[in-house]
Amino acid sequence: MTVQTPVATPLSAALLDRFKALVGPKGWSQDPDIIAPHLREPRDLYAGISPLLLRPANTEEVAAIVKMARETKTKLVPQGGNTGLVGGSIPFMGNDEIILSLQRMNRIRSLDALNDTITVEAGVVLAQVQQAAREADRLFPLSIGSEGSCTIGGNLSTNAGGNAVLRYGNTRELALGLEVVLADGQVWDGLRGLRKDNTGYDLKDLFIGGEGTLGIITAAVLKLHPLPRAMATAFTAVPNPAAAIELLSMAKTATGGQVTGFELISRRSLEFALKHNPGTVDPVAEPHPWYVLMEFSSGRNDGAIGETMEALLADGFEKALVLDAAIAQSDGQRAAFWKLRELLSDSQRPEGGSIKCDISVPVSKMAEFIDRATAAVEAHVPGVRIVAFGHIGDGNVHFNASQPVGWERAKFLELWDKVHAIVHDIAHGMQGSISAEHGVGRMKIDEIVHYKSPVEIEMMRKLKRAFDPDNILNPGKVVRP
Amino acid sequence: MTVQTPVATPLSAALLDRFKALVGPKGWSQDPDIIAPHLREPRDLYAGISPLLLRPANTEEVAAIVKMARETKTKLVPQGGNTGLVGGSIPFMGNDEIILSLQRMNRIRSLDALNDTITVEAGVVLAQVQQAAREADRLFPLSIGSEGSCTIGGNLSTNAGGNAVLRYGNTRELALGLEVVLADGQVWDGLRGLRKDNTGYDLKDLFIGGEGTLGIITAAVLKLHPLPRAMATAFTAVPNPAAAIELLSMAKTATGGQVTGFELISRRSLEFALKHNPGTVDPVAEPHPWYVLMEFSSGRNDGAIGETMEALLADGFEKALVLDAAIAQSDGQRAAFWKLRELLSDSQRPEGGSIKCDISVPVSKMAEFIDRATAAVEAHVPGVRIVAFGHIGDGNVHFNASQPVGWERAKFLELWDKVHAIVHDIAHGMQGSISAEHGVGRMKIDEIVHYKSPVEIEMMRKLKRAFDPDNILNPGKVVRP
């Protein structure tokens, strides 16, 4: 696999040699085959070119690289597991950006069980953080589809969300401290494991969600939680999203905030998953228009959480908010329910082109949003198949449009901008977000200027200019200086 | 009461008139008696002078004031309930700062029960936010001693902590969106009620904890939680802080994260409270060196949370982590336990001078910190009486020193800086914070320069210069530009 095209780099061989000299022989590559996977992303929406891949082994090497980039005004594209969906980790086509992969910085530096913290380097894969926590009888709750290959540095840089936000928050809420290499090559040691520290401005949250444009996160102190002792999981048929939201509110109260999963799934989403994944089974006997995959967690393994769920479902049934439900009777069944949820996204692929929107609105407006956006897109593209699912407990839905049957994929994808505009206008009108989880990257750098106030964009520009005055850190992503 | 001294203000009468013209007749005062309470703070450590108190009625008036301040380079001191403990809301003695009180902006703009949010103006008193949430069958968990008079704008500006951080986080974690008047008088409408929004840099967290030095918070969207249906509360005698920390870890696991209070109380702290507050009773029969006020909450009122607590105490007793315990048998008894906790701080007053430190360290180092800091202060001041209590579930202890019996108050207070240095050096050496909850204000503006790295101070200065280039917003607080 080679995507490098023979574009001459404006970066001289001498300059590249200076960067290479900063890291050991394992710390760089100019082999197009090795560089290639760093130049494309999961949905193949973006591709770029780069003359050099740097893979520093430690913070000092990162600092030396950034210092030289600053001196020589060389652009850097920081990269973790390269699983992002908005092109934030992909260079442009100018062949003048160096890729800075953090993947070799993959040490778990320490775990403090009494403090409920783990200190990890940016390149540690998310699943390994989860695993290390579990081994210490703790939970690191961040849970996303790409957890087997995404890195914690990428999760932090994009403030990743996922399935457990409802109970535990986004990545931002899971990070207590950071180590960051700033744009001048200085290292900020903010690796504090404190729950309370009011000694000045909140610096870490600039870098979390900053997509590598303000500094490069090299390590973090993350918060751990008690490992739940019992879960109750139900695949629940509901008449519509409004009923799901009411059920959510009842569930939050009934459990005192122990709802750890609340995923909306439309019938069509489920059908695609069942159709394209042999061996999967519909959890509920009859088809229904909407489902909720609902999970509660408890610290006590005494059956109480199961009873709470049963009582809630009975209550919901009486109020016609629940049509049917399957409660997982084993870990295997629980895993099967979640597997269906995870398959939803990829199961759109065999159905042709898909235009994906990553929306959030206030939870109370979720149902209205889905209704209005569905009607508007269907009116614009007759025959389009809306595939809606996601974390409605957080007011976040992956509102996707699969192409009408029989269309050409490319023809449908030409409607990308128009469909985005329709959906984003509706979300924006409800004080929603046009990128709930995935960030800005290259994809939405212009669109956020359209939807945000000039005041807000100007604040972002001020930050970019103050922290990266030479625009060397991931230029062309998030905001232009 | 008049603290104004006849210092001529460098601000001309004509200039003051221009500010007065921006607000209605209720919007300003130059009456020294009316201004006086705005010039002193609870501990009487700081006092200032001001020629004018402005009390704008709405965001537009705040914006007009700041705009004029920017044009005329006039300094503003934003103020909420004026309950802060580090002089952050008090002007200096130059009589050239205008006090900008947000207290008239006290409307609850809306409450969205399905979205679990409430939108409030900066001047709403914390207790009123709590009350409004309760009326909607929700919990606004922020809980601090001054909740009857502090305002939510002040809570946000100082990122207030308090008793419920362990479960619900600091004020930062309770705010989803802000409305802020920037230093040029522009209004940033960031009043979003979204759980997920990754469309750019995290701006709100700059203003939260910014102590009014980067912008003036005029309104906020706050997160609500389910109102607990059942509580279990125990006043628990433990042999030492290390045992308390172990008990905490067991409690977190046993409840699956439903520990909502975990307050350490030393015997001496309790004795002062019992001695100076007639009618209070020692909850536990025999005296013990240390106590923990421990509270669990549950969404289900079925007795299960009480059983969990009893089981935990039995387990702790067996492991010699618990010496004795009184479980609250009624709401009245529960309130009495918490009342004792709230009395601790004021009960030091009749014992003479007190030097107070607001420390956090990693939870795992809490016990070592208390031991070392106690020994060090006792060595420096023979006869000193250490009064330690606080939120050790967050690694935060109010480590206070009451004067030796028989000393002059003033003589003891001369040791303020030295005692702070001793205690702060030890906390800093453990990667702790010298201001866990109270902020920087005037008190610690120089001290943080001593303890923070130059890299970090320079980042703070960059932010101050970028957001308030004329240094008109609360100058001399947090950081110098």
Side-chain angles (χ1 to χ4, degrees), chain A residues 112 114-116 137-138 158-159 161-162 165 167 170 172 182 186-188 192-203 205-207 209-210 213-214 226 229 245 249 252-258 299-300 304 308 360-364 391 394 396 431-437 439-440 448 452-453 455-456 459-460 462-464 466-467 478-479, chain B residues 112 114-116 137-138 158-159 161-162 165 167 170 172 182 186-188 192-203 205-207 209-210 213-214 226 229 245 249 252-258 299-300 304 308 360-364 391 394 396 431-437 439-440 448 452-453 455-456 459-460 462-464 466-467 478-479:
Chain A
D112 182 343
L114 276 183
N115 195 39
D116 283 319
D137 196 29
R138 296 291 187 277
T158 58
N159 186 31
V165 173
R167 168 67 181 85
N170 296 289
R172 172 164 289 125
L182 305 178
Q186 290 197 84
V187 179
W188 173 46
R192 298 173 198 127
L194 303 174
R195 260 74 184 170
K196 287 181 173 172
D197 177 22
N198 278 341
T199 54
Y201 303 142
D202 179 23
L203 301 170
D205 286 318
L206 287 172
F207 303 105
T213 63
L214 298 177
R229 294 294 186 245
I245 297 293
S249 184
K252 281 198 217 174
T253 300
T255 61
Q258 298 289 69
R300 303 189 313 140
T308 304
S360 69
V361 294
V363 175
S364 50
H391 325 292
D394 317 311
N396 174 205
Q431 282 78 51
S433 168
I434 64 162
S435 194
E437 295 196 316
V440 178
I448 63 165
K452 286 185 186 282
S453 65
V455 174
E456 187 161 334
M459 277 197 279
M460 287 175 58
K462 266 183 197 166
L463 289 169
K464 177 67 175 169
F467 279 79
V478 185
V479 71
Chain B
D112 182 343
L114 276 183
N115 195 39
D116 283 318
D137 196 29
R138 297 291 186 277
T158 58
N159 186 30
V165 173
R167 168 67 181 83
N170 296 288
R172 172 163 289 126
L182 304 178
Q186 289 196 86
V187 179
W188 172 47
R192 298 177 198 123
L194 303 175
R195 260 74 185 172
K196 286 181 173 172
D197 178 21
N198 279 340
T199 54
Y201 303 143
D202 179 23
L203 300 171
D205 287 318
L206 287 172
F207 303 105
T213 63
L214 298 177
R229 294 293 186 247
I245 297 292
S249 184
K252 282 198 217 173
T253 299
T255 62
Q258 297 289 69
R300 303 190 313 140
T308 304
S360 68
V361 293
V363 176
S364 49
H391 325 293
D394 317 311
N396 174 206
Q431 282 78 50
S433 168
I434 63 162
S435 195
E437 295 197 315
V440 178
I448 63 165
K452 285 183 186 285
S453 65
V455 174
E456 187 161 335
M459 276 197 279
M460 289 176 58
K462 266 185 197 164
L463 288 170
K464 176 68 174 170
F467 280 79
V478 185
V479 71

Side-chain angles (χ1 to χ4, degrees), chain B residues 81-110:
Chain B
N82 196 18
T83 60
L85 298 173
V86 290
S89 54
I90 304 298
F92 290 89
M93 296 300 285
N95 205 15
D96 62 344
E97 296 170 271
I98 293 175
I99 296 174
L100 177 56
S101 168
L102 281 296
Q103 283 184 306
R104 276 178 76 216
M105 289 191 60
N106 58 5
R107 281 189 316 137
I108 292 176
R109 291 193 188 163
S110 62

Side-chain angles (χ1 to χ4, degrees), chain A residues 167 255-260 295-299 305, chain B residues 167 255-256 258:
Chain A
R167 168 67 181 85
T255 61
Q258 298 289 69
V259 183
T260 43
E295 187 158 274
F296 304 166
S297 301
S298 169
I305 197 77
Chain B
R167 168 67 181 83
T255 62
Q258 297 289 69

Side-chain angles (χ1 to χ4, degrees), chain A residues 77-94:
Chain A
V77 181
Q79 198 178 86
N82 196 18
T83 60
L85 297 174
V86 291
S89 53
I90 304 298
F92 290 89
M93 296 300 286

Side-chain angles (χ1 to χ4, degrees), chain A residues 400-411:
Chain A
N400 302 337
S402 274
Q403 66 174 64
V405 176
W407 278 39
E408 294 247 337
R409 184 174 188 272
K411 182 191 156 200

